[in-house]
Amino acid sequence: MSSDADVSGYYDRNTPRFLLVGGGGASHSIHRQLWGPGVRTAEEASNHIHTLVASEIERIQPAPTYVIDMGCGVGGTLFYLAESLPESELLGVTISARQHQIALKLAEEKDLSHRCRFVQEDFQIMEVEGDAQAIVAIESFVHSRSSEPFFRSVERHLADGGLLVIADDFLARDRGLLDTAAVGHVQDFESGWRLGALCTVEKCASSAASFGLTKTKDVDLSPLIRLGRPRDRAISALSPVLRFLGLESIPFFGNMIGGNALQIGLRAGFLEYHLLVFRKG
């Protein structure tokens, strides 16, 4: 299991590269591209998860006045939600000093500092003001030490009747049902990307239920991910060498090793990418 310092160091070192080569453009996204219906460009693919998340939150009646993004990156999701939810105040939480600095600068450039606030904290133990009507976690749940501190924090900060929306990677089946090769790839994924809470959707939902959160939606978005891009093929060739040299601890190389393992897992079907929606109370 990775420490919080591992996660913060991983993103401090890798975030500029993610923004440079990720293809998100003006979306300021460092998460997965999803090629959903009607999506034609890389920027649209980066924004597709934002569209899905906003659609869920917009169903809350009355409209939410306070939204928290646990693991906000450089603010791409909050900036998108600021347009979709013009009456909402939004708070982004990141453990990365580098991401926090970039998010503050972008908010000022977009004239959104009055609505989009950012704090550098560990979202598992954060204490921020107010009860949010919605909490978002895009590819951040898996960086928790385990599911329990994540959902304990959600329980503290989500208003009764509020929504939690998670988009993240999950095991398609319990680890005990994976063959030896798959277990090795899962371990590479976890160590390379500094993951501590990778689990099945069922275990995630069970843990959430113990904190008063009921799963109301589960959508497998794995088919929307494009695998085997030229960059992915290059990393696939390099990854065994990097792994043999024991370079997982270096964030740049760890990202490559973990990314290759993720590609293998998605292609073989023992890893999946899901959108989950939970309601409190």
Side-chain angles (χ1 to χ4, degrees):
M1 179 177 65
S2 296
S3 69
D4 299 331
D6 289 334
V7 176
S8 62
Y10 175 84
Y11 280 108
D12 284 345
R13 293 286 297 276
N14 280 325
T15 292
R17 181 172 63 87
F18 291 159
L19 291 171
L20 181 64
V21 303
S27 70
H28 308 296
S29 299
I30 59 174
H31 47 247
R32 212 70 44 82
Q33 291 182 351
L34 300 177
W35 295 85
V39 172
R40 292 177 296 277
T41 68
E43 186 172 329
E44 289 175 352
S46 296
N47 261 328
H48 190 63
I49 190 62
H50 296 155
T51 302
L52 298 178
V53 169
S55 177
E56 297 299 329
I57 296 176
E58 286 166 354
R59 294 193 178 101
I60 300 175
Q61 296 296 330
T65 57
Y66 182 34
V67 178
I68 299 175
D69 185 349
M70 292 172 56
C72 65
V74 300
T77 302
L78 284 196
F79 300 142
Y80 186 95
L81 292 177
E83 294 185 14
S84 303
L85 306 167
E87 303 302 319
S88 296
E89 299 293 322
L90 304 110
L91 175 68
V93 183
T94 176
I95 200 171
S96 164
R98 179 68 64 86
Q99 290 184 343
H100 182 239
Q101 292 167 356
I102 296 172
L104 290 175
K105 182 180 179 182
L106 289 172
E108 185 174 352
E109 291 175 355
K110 294 174 179 292
D111 195 26
L112 286 171
S113 298
H114 62 295
R115 292 184 54 213
C116 296
R117 296 185 298 112
F118 296 92
V119 296
Q120 183 194 346
E121 288 194 38
D122 178 351
F123 59 63
Q124 299 168 100
I125 58 173
M126 68 181 185
E127 294 291 344
V128 296
E129 74 235 24
D131 291 332
Q133 289 80 46
I135 292 179
V136 177
I138 300 179
E139 296 173 29
S140 55
F141 164 73
V142 286
H143 287 300
S144 306
R145 291 184 292 276
S146 68
S147 60
E148 285 75 15
F150 175 87
F151 286 119
R152 185 176 295 113
S153 183
V154 171
E155 181 189 34
R156 287 199 308 271
H157 294 98
L158 186 63
D160 288 339
L163 289 187
L164 165 66
V165 185
I166 295 176
D168 223 321
D169 299 294
F170 292 91
L171 294 171
R173 48 192 178 276
D174 288 335
R175 293 170 190 259
L177 300 177
L178 300 177
D179 60 32
T180 302
V183 169
H185 292 309
V186 168
Q187 291 172 345
D188 283 347
F189 181 37
E190 291 176 314
S191 62
W193 280 22
R194 310 326 193 234
L195 310 181
L198 184 65
C199 62
T200 62
V201 168
E202 291 74 21
K203 286 191 175 180
C204 175
S206 176
S207 180
S210 66
F211 291 94
L213 298 159
T214 302
K215 179 166 68 70
T216 61
K217 178 175 282 190
D218 173 12
V219 182
D220 184 358
L221 300 175
S222 309
L224 304 185
I225 300 173
R226 287 185 177 176
L227 304 174
R229 298 166 300 176
R231 187 179 69 192
D232 299 324
R233 293 196 294 271
I235 291 174
S236 177
L238 284 172
S239 183
V241 177
L242 301 175
R243 188 173 178 274
F244 175 78
L245 294 174
L247 299 178
E248 295 97 331
S249 62
I250 300 174
F252 178 78
F253 298 119
N255 175 253
M256 290 186 181
I257 293 168
N260 183 56
L262 173 60
Q263 288 268 321
I264 293 170
L266 290 170
R267 190 177 290 111
F270 58 82
L271 291 173
E272 297 174 341
Y273 188 78
H274 285 248
L275 175 74
L276 304 180
V277 181
F278 298 84
R279 185 175 291 277
K280 181 179 178 182

